[in-house]
Amino acid sequence: MYYFDCHADTLTEIPDSGTLMHNSCCLDLARVRAFADRYTQIFAIWQDRAAMPQQPEEAFQALYERAIRLLEAQKEHIAFCRSARDMQNAHAQGLAAAFLSIEDISIMGSLAPRAREYGFRFAMLSWNYENSLACGAVSGQHRGLTAQGLSLAKHLLAQNLVLDISHLSDQGAEDIFQLTERPVMASHSNARDICAHPRNLKKEHIQEFIRRKGLMGINLYRLFIGGKQQLPDLLRHIDAILELGGEDILALGADFDGCGDAFPQGINGVQSMPHLKKILEQEQFGRDVTEKIFWKNAQRFVLEHVA
């Protein structure tokens, strides 16, 4: 099967005793290789900004270099990609493809305008907190991008980075929508109409994603699913987005290693993806829609917008 996931924190969570091939996290290459004929992963580089120094550049550099070493150690199995062409070349060689996202770009400090030089192709202006650039959804929905954040967002767009609004406040999302007509992504968010968590997207923003033909990765974190937090509750989110006309924007943004092991029953880590695919395909949405969710929509987005 083909598998494309839009968000995992694994590269920053692997313990020193582990590797990207084998580790105690929710995702490693050995488990993916057991089921995936073609694999693409967007790995987030992330750290809690509150735990970093006031001047975070050195700490970020160490975090980034460790992630690159983990990727480089598995270069016979996975390629660090900076473009859609890199992804295609990796797949042609039988390799997995890895892209990097910066989750809360403020952890880069003064290095943030150089995000593209570091190989990032996806960027979030905030995490859960409010920073000098923007307000995170958990901190408040009515404060958006600051003047500094707007300036940086314009710079990133000019460099052809994809802006990711998953952690932004509602007003922050509105600010991004007003700033550009380009498609954007929400790498790991669900539908707020189904579960009223601030990290989930409200209907109007999902409709805007559909209008722009952006990308929305469904998050497997139990807290964002609601209900009894079981697989049928997850399927309700997918169904709600499909009812809005979102067949061509839905993807997977599992949030592996970003939410511990707090998944719905039946999901125990990346090894459970074939089970999820079977549920979607046989019991709910059919083969064509399931293939779009599992890889086709995300691949289309990268081919169109990551150069």
Side-chain angles (χ1 to χ4, degrees):
M1 64 181 266
Y2 288 3
Y3 175 53
F4 190 132
D5 180 72
C6 295
H7 189 87
D9 290 319
T10 308
L11 281 182
T12 55
E13 297 299 323
I14 294 173
D16 290 339
S17 59
T19 68
L20 188 55
M21 180 58 70
H22 298 282
N23 59 61
S24 58
C25 295
C26 294
L27 183 156
D28 61 30
L29 291 180
R31 278 174 279 174
V32 176
R33 285 163 59 87
F35 68 81
D37 302 301
R38 179 187 291 177
Y39 172 45
T40 307
Q41 180 69 58
I42 301 176
F43 287 108
I45 302 301
W46 175 84
Q47 191 65 266
D48 187 338
R49 180 67 179 89
M52 297 183 77
Q54 186 173 359
Q55 303 298 323
E57 291 83 359
E58 185 175 345
F60 161 76
Q61 190 73 35
L63 188 72
Y64 172 82
E65 289 176 359
R66 181 177 186 270
I68 295 299
R69 287 196 300 272
L70 287 165
L71 279 172
E72 181 67 18
Q74 304 301 326
K75 64 183 179 182
E76 294 182 0
H77 306 287
I78 190 166
F80 176 20
C81 298
R82 296 168 177 82
S83 68
R85 184 179 293 277
D86 287 350
M87 177 186 71
Q88 291 174 307
N89 289 341
H91 291 160
Q93 297 172 50
L95 303 177
F99 288 97
L100 290 185
S101 171
I102 180 69
E103 186 171 16
D104 188 351
I105 199 169
S106 73
I107 69 171
M108 295 183 71
S110 62
L111 300 174
R114 297 174 53 195
R116 184 175 179 87
E117 295 177 39
Y118 279 85
F120 294 110
R121 294 299 179 263
F122 306 88
M124 292 173 243
L125 295 177
S126 67
W127 186 61
N128 288 337
Y129 306 137
E130 187 170 12
N131 60 28
S132 61
L133 305 171
C135 187
V138 177
S139 296
Q141 296 287 21
H142 302 296
R143 298 185 300 280
L145 273 60
T146 65
Q148 183 181 349
L150 282 168
S151 177
L152 180 60
K154 290 177 183 177
H155 176 76
L156 297 175
L157 287 167
Q159 292 190 323
N160 289 321
L161 267 74
V162 175
L163 297 183
D164 184 341
I165 70 165
S166 263
H167 276 281
L168 271 183
S169 65
D170 287 348
Q171 184 57 53
E174 293 287 344
D175 291 342
I176 294 296
F177 291 145
Q178 292 175 22
L179 182 64
T180 180
E181 272 293 313
R182 286 171 52 182
V184 295
M185 75 185 301
S187 60
H188 56 308
S189 295
N190 295 343
R192 200 179 302 168
D193 277 359
I194 304 301
C195 174
H197 192 283
R199 272 279 285 102
N200 290 336
L201 300 188
K202 64 180 186 177
K203 180 173 68 175
E204 293 80 3
H205 289 166
I206 297 173
Q207 290 171 322
E208 185 64 17
F209 269 77
I210 293 167
R211 185 184 75 80
R212 295 174 184 234
K213 208 169 183 181
L215 194 66
M216 181 176 176
I218 290 294
N219 195 319
L220 303 184
Y221 183 29
R222 279 205 306 258
L223 189 60
F224 300 163
I225 292 173
K228 297 179 180 179
Q229 300 172 329
Q230 296 179 349
L231 276 180
D233 299 300
L234 178 68
L235 302 187
R236 290 174 62 217
H237 288 269
I238 297 174
D239 198 43
I241 298 163
L242 289 174
E243 287 184 359
L244 293 173
E247 180 176 329
D248 293 327
I249 70 161
L250 271 170
L252 295 173
D255 206 5
F256 286 132
D257 299 307
C259 51
D261 58 357
F263 303 118
Q265 186 176 9
I267 303 295
N268 301 304
V270 74
Q271 66 271 21
S272 301
M273 290 300 98
H275 172 63
L276 178 61
K277 186 173 187 285
K278 182 178 179 180
I279 295 294
L280 266 62
E281 187 173 294
Q282 296 185 0
E283 298 188 19
Q284 191 85 10
F285 304 115
R287 178 178 175 81
D288 289 346
V289 171
T290 300
E291 291 292 316
K292 287 185 176 185
I293 294 170
F294 259 74
W295 69 277
K296 284 186 175 180
N297 286 340
Q299 178 167 290
R300 182 270 308 166
F301 187 88
V302 167
L303 290 173
E304 292 178 355
H305 302 296
V306 180

